[in-house]
Amino acid sequence: MARRRLFFSRKNDYGDRSFGAPEMRNTEREVFLFRRRLVIVGLLALLAFVGLFARFSYLQVYRHEHYRTLAESNRVAIVPIAPNRGVITDRNGIVLAQSYSAYTLELTPARIANLEATIDELANIVDISPRDRKRFRKLLDESKNFESMPLRTRLSDQEVARFAVNRYRFPGVDIKARLFREYPYREIASHVIGYIGRINERDVERIASWDETANYKGSDYIGKVGVEISYENELHGTTGVEEVEVDAAGRAVRTLSRLPPVSGNNLRLSLDIRLQEVAEQAFGDRRGALVAIDPATGDILAFVSKPGYDPNLFVEGIDTANWEALNESPDKPLLNRPLRGAYPPGSTIKPFLALGALASGKRTPQFAISDPGFFQLPGSSYRFRDDKPGGHGSVDMYKSIVASCDTYYYVLASDTDIDDTARFLSPLGFGRKTGVDIEGELTGVLPSRDWKRSRFAGEKYRDEHRKWYLGDSISAGIGQGYNSFTPMQLAYATAIIANDGVAFRPHLVKNILNLKTGEERIVAPQPTHRIGAKPGEIAIIRNAMVGVNREGTGARAFAGAAYTSGGKTGTAQVYSLKGENYVAHKIDERLRDHAWFIAYAPAVQPRIALAVLVENGGFGAQAAAPIARKVLDYFLLGTTEPGAAVAVPGHDAEDASD
């Protein structure tokens, strides 16, 4: 009974009534609670929809352009189009450098699972040489793996067709059309034109300094040396843009829009490539340099550096064997001798020193010395010897140049302060850059007291090293000692003399043609300055230089010429003989004297001035003057066959005196 009472005495949720009693529901309370819950859920749902709407509005309205761009980037690829590089021609329109289109087999490493296996498979379809593989690996090391890189270039139509059939087997491999540079004259004028090569890190920095980074998107090549780099901004052009729709595999489906590239400007050089060929052939296998200038304009007509190189080797990346052959050759074919070869000028300096003596009043044309065959320093037993034993007898200024009398210039140097000499020679272009419009020109050495103090500054040199001595002046007086000039500087100085003392900046580019507008910019010749000598004084020197080719050291080379020319021979000592006689065949070939010749023609109103250097060629009259004769004959007469014999091997030292 007690258990039953406990059971029936339990309370339910609605009151204190017994379990078995009838229930009374509070309907109003239940409705209230339901409505409250419904309102809360509704508010939460409303807030959620408001949040979704706000987010939707933010993405679709405020961030619409951003996400539209991202979406488009998945569908549309922006492809830069490299411009066609400008054409380089000579003064007569003959093409010296041009671009052409060819097919290239290209790989994108980021899209290829097994690169080596893919290359091996491709080799069964397209001929891939070990050099191609090596070049590709080098490019792979230098590039980002998502970039497309060429494995094989200049594919034939048959190779393109074979790959097209198997294209589906090679994801990440494509055939592309690229532009390639061609230099049809190969070694001829190679140091003038230069070459292009693949863009490296240093080039990237240079492009950034030009603020042209965007304009080089899609470009793999840039000028490296010569006109190709000096006029890079003219030759490169403007990069185009193409919008291409791509599928999920990244393959192009269709072109949506295209902004075509603008080709680079064409350059017409002042160079005459036929004259250049004649000059280079005249050198044969000998090393040396030649620069020919139009005195009245500064146009460079010929620019020879021997030996040269084939710039086509560098376009796609030079192979190791060819690079070692060029870089390690004792003949230094990569050296631009007219600009970067600095040599003692030898006796070619004498006309300029004589002109300085006239301008300063140190000498008159009639002033003469008695040449015993040597010059002895005051208070010393040391003698500076003349080239002619026994001397030249009585020597005035005319004879000093025609016979190339060293003693005359020993005496002149002892009477002239070296600083005065330097001040007169500097406006002629010695010891400073001429301003020619290609990179890499050296200043050379025009000695003076300040130069020597600067050259021998530092703790390892004593005061006596920095002091200027009379012996230094004597050596400088015949173009030896510290004197060191480039063939460009000698040609420039000769052109100034030929142009009656008026200087024009030497230049290689004659005009620039804008293919888009058709506008042609002419490099108008402008005189830069006049040297400090009177026309009458210059006429005296020019008359003596005519005498050199008529009756002096250049007479044999110019015998029978159908025109009158002026010139000066020169022989520059490479190393000291220490009192021994010079016998060429007993001296190592690379220790023999350098041969010089400067000239201009015709004698009245000269149209060409030049400087010729033959490294280790010996006497200027024997090695350099005949080259000048061939160049002048072709330029003035249109022939390479002289009217008389010019080279006379085996003539004695007196006949070849410089």
Side-chain angles (χ1 to χ4, degrees):
M1 289 295 293
R3 291 176 63 186
R4 289 183 63 187
R5 283 195 297 269
L6 285 170
F7 177 80
F8 285 103
S9 65
R10 288 177 181 172
K11 298 179 180 179
N12 59 27
D13 293 337
Y14 298 98
D16 201 23
R17 294 185 294 271
S18 64
F19 183 81
E23 297 181 0
M24 297 294 294
R25 299 181 60 184
N26 190 338
T27 306
E28 292 181 359
R29 181 178 178 82
E30 289 181 357
V31 170
F32 171 77
L33 292 174
F34 175 77
R35 287 176 177 173
R36 187 174 67 177
R37 291 168 183 161
L38 185 63
V39 169
I40 292 172
V41 171
L43 289 173
L44 291 175
L46 180 62
L47 288 174
F49 277 107
V50 169
L52 288 172
F53 181 77
R55 182 63 177 170
F56 179 80
S57 299
Y58 173 78
L59 295 176
Q60 290 295 321
V61 179
Y62 183 75
R63 299 283 286 172
H64 173 75
E65 288 301 322
H66 172 71
Y67 287 102
R68 182 176 178 275
T69 302
L70 291 179
E72 283 295 306
S73 67
N74 292 328
R75 183 180 71 90
V76 178
I78 306 298
V79 181
I81 310 172
N84 195 357
R85 195 170 180 85
V87 176
I88 302 174
T89 68
D90 82 335
R91 67 189 299 116
N92 299 312
I94 299 174
V95 174
L96 306 180
Q98 63 184 348
S99 299
Y100 66 95
S101 180
Y103 290 112
T104 302
L105 183 67
E106 304 213 0
L107 280 65
T108 305
R111 295 171 54 197
I112 300 174
N114 191 326
L115 200 58
E116 290 299 325
T118 299
I119 294 174
D120 290 339
E121 284 292 321
L122 287 169
N124 296 324
I125 301 171
V126 176
D127 182 29
I128 299 173
S129 68
R131 180 188 173 188
D132 294 326
R133 292 173 182 260
K134 188 173 183 179
R135 185 180 61 238
F136 180 79
R137 292 190 191 99
K138 183 180 179 181
L139 292 175
L140 191 63
D141 292 338
E142 296 173 350
S143 306
K144 299 176 182 177
N145 65 351
F146 56 79
E147 293 178 340
S148 176
M149 289 174 287
L151 175 63
R152 251 294 309 279
T153 59
R154 309 184 193 190
L155 297 174
S156 67
D157 292 340
Q158 292 79 8
E159 289 174 318
V160 172
R162 285 201 303 269
F163 175 78
V165 173
N166 295 274
R167 168 70 181 81
Y168 70 94
R169 296 171 47 201
F170 299 100
V173 184
D174 293 290
I175 294 288
K176 293 186 178 181
R178 284 189 181 264
L179 294 170
F180 294 90
R181 199 67 162 168
E182 179 186 35
Y183 303 97
Y185 281 85
R186 302 173 72 86
E187 292 189 9
I188 304 296
S190 55
H191 287 89
V192 176
I193 303 164
Y195 57 85
I196 65 170
R198 290 191 68 88
I199 295 174
N200 55 32
E201 291 183 5
R202 188 174 67 177
D203 296 322
V204 170
E205 294 175 0
R206 186 185 316 189
I207 292 167
S209 70
W210 297 337
D211 196 23
E212 288 284 324
T213 301
N215 195 34
Y216 276 80
K217 294 294 184 183
S219 296
D220 296 320
Y221 299 93
I222 192 173
K224 295 292 185 177
V225 296
V227 169
E228 288 280 26
I229 181 57
S230 297
Y231 285 84
E232 172 66 24
N233 292 332
E234 298 286 353
L235 290 164
H236 178 262
T238 304
T239 298
V241 177
E242 191 173 59
E243 288 187 339
V244 179
E245 186 175 10
V246 296
D247 60 16
R251 290 188 290 266
V253 176
R254 62 190 176 103
T255 299
L256 301 177
S257 66
R258 190 174 191 272
L259 179 64
V262 178
S263 296
N265 296 333
N266 291 350
L267 303 182
R268 184 160 70 95
L269 305 186
S270 59
L271 208 72
D272 183 333
I273 196 62
R274 301 304 182 204
L275 182 69
Q276 179 84 17
E277 285 183 298
V278 169
E280 296 205 19
Q281 290 169 4
F283 273 86
D285 295 330
R286 292 172 291 185
R287 302 179 303 278
L290 179 148
V291 178
I293 301 175
D294 182 343
T297 63
D299 286 0
I300 295 178
L301 305 170
F303 186 103
V304 175
S305 183
K306 290 284 289 183
Y309 60 88
D310 184 357
N312 293 294
L313 295 172
F314 291 87
V315 174
E316 297 177 48
I318 190 169
D319 62 274
T320 303
N322 279 312
W323 171 249
E324 289 179 352
L326 290 173
N327 198 44
E328 297 176 7
S329 170
D331 292 336
K332 299 182 179 179
L334 296 177
L335 174 63
N336 189 326
R337 285 170 165 83
L339 293 186
R340 301 196 60 78
Y343 311 85
S347 292
T348 58
I349 199 69
K350 290 174 181 176
F352 308 105
L353 294 176
L355 181 59
L358 285 174
S360 66
K362 290 284 184 181
R363 291 290 186 271
T364 65
Q366 297 77 27
F367 179 88
I369 67 161
S370 178
D371 174 22
F374 62 87
F375 173 80
Q376 188 165 329
L377 284 173
S380 170
S381 60
Y382 186 81
R383 292 180 173 181
F384 290 86
R385 295 186 304 174
D386 196 286
D387 61 281
K388 184 177 181 180
H392 294 83
S394 178
V395 181
D396 60 7
M397 182 171 286
Y398 178 86
K399 187 176 180 179
S400 75
I401 294 174
V402 171
S404 197
C405 174
D406 286 345
T407 305
Y408 184 95
Y409 291 93
Y410 292 147
V411 176
L412 176 60
S414 69
D415 293 342
T416 307
D417 187 85
I418 189 62
D419 291 339
D420 291 337
T421 300
R423 277 189 289 270
F424 180 79
L425 293 181
S426 180
L428 284 159
F430 296 113
R432 66 178 188 178
K433 295 181 180 181
T434 64
V436 64
D437 54 342
I438 54 175
E439 296 181 0
E441 184 179 14
L442 293 183
T443 59
V445 175
L446 177 60
S448 65
R449 286 184 176 81
D450 285 343
W451 172 86
K452 192 174 184 183
R453 280 192 292 267
S454 175
R455 168 63 179 81
F456 295 101
E459 296 181 357
K460 65 178 181 179
Y461 297 109
R462 297 191 296 270
D463 289 341
E464 52 264 35
H465 291 127
R466 304 182 187 96
K467 184 179 178 182
W468 187 267
Y469 296 96
L470 180 58
D472 295 333
S473 294
I474 302 303
S475 295
I478 60 165
Q480 295 289 161
Y482 297 116
N483 283 306
S484 182
F485 307 129
T486 66
M488 173 60 73
Q489 290 170 329
L490 263 296
Y492 177 63
T494 305
I496 294 174
I497 295 295
N499 201 39
D500 290 330
V502 179
F504 283 82
R505 184 176 68 88
H507 56 270
L508 282 158
V509 174
K510 195 168 180 65
N511 57 38
I512 302 170
L513 176 63
N514 187 316
L515 294 180
K516 183 177 181 181
T517 64
E519 177 190 0
E520 187 175 35
R521 284 181 285 144
I522 298 174
V523 180
Q526 295 291 333
T528 57
H529 63 278
R530 180 184 289 273
I531 63 171
K534 298 175 182 177
E537 295 164 343
I538 296 174
I540 293 169
I541 301 303
R542 285 178 56 175
N543 181 56
M545 293 179 71
V546 169
V548 169
N549 287 354
R550 180 182 292 157
E551 57 180 309
T553 55
R556 284 199 169 188
F558 283 84
Y563 52 87
T564 304
S565 62
K568 183 67 191 81
T569 53
T571 300
Q573 195 177 76
V574 174
Y575 86 113
S576 176
L577 293 172
K578 298 180 180 179
E580 297 292 329
N581 290 326
Y582 179 85
V583 182
H585 68 271
K586 293 183 178 180
I587 301 173
D588 182 87
E589 189 268 339
R590 294 183 185 275
L591 296 178
R592 296 172 189 169
D593 295 342
H594 298 317
W596 279 103
F597 191 76
I598 59 173
Y600 64 87
V604 178
Q605 296 183 338
R607 294 162 47 203
I608 183 172
L610 56 80
V612 182
L613 168 79
V614 180
E615 284 187 4
N616 310 116
F619 296 115
Q622 182 179 1
I627 294 175
R629 169 70 187 274
K630 289 184 178 180
V631 171
L632 295 179
D633 278 357
Y634 179 81
F635 183 79
L636 297 172
L637 308 175
T639 178
T640 57
E641 296 298 328
V646 293
V648 185
H651 60 281
D652 58 28
E654 182 175 339
D655 288 338
S657 171
D658 296 326

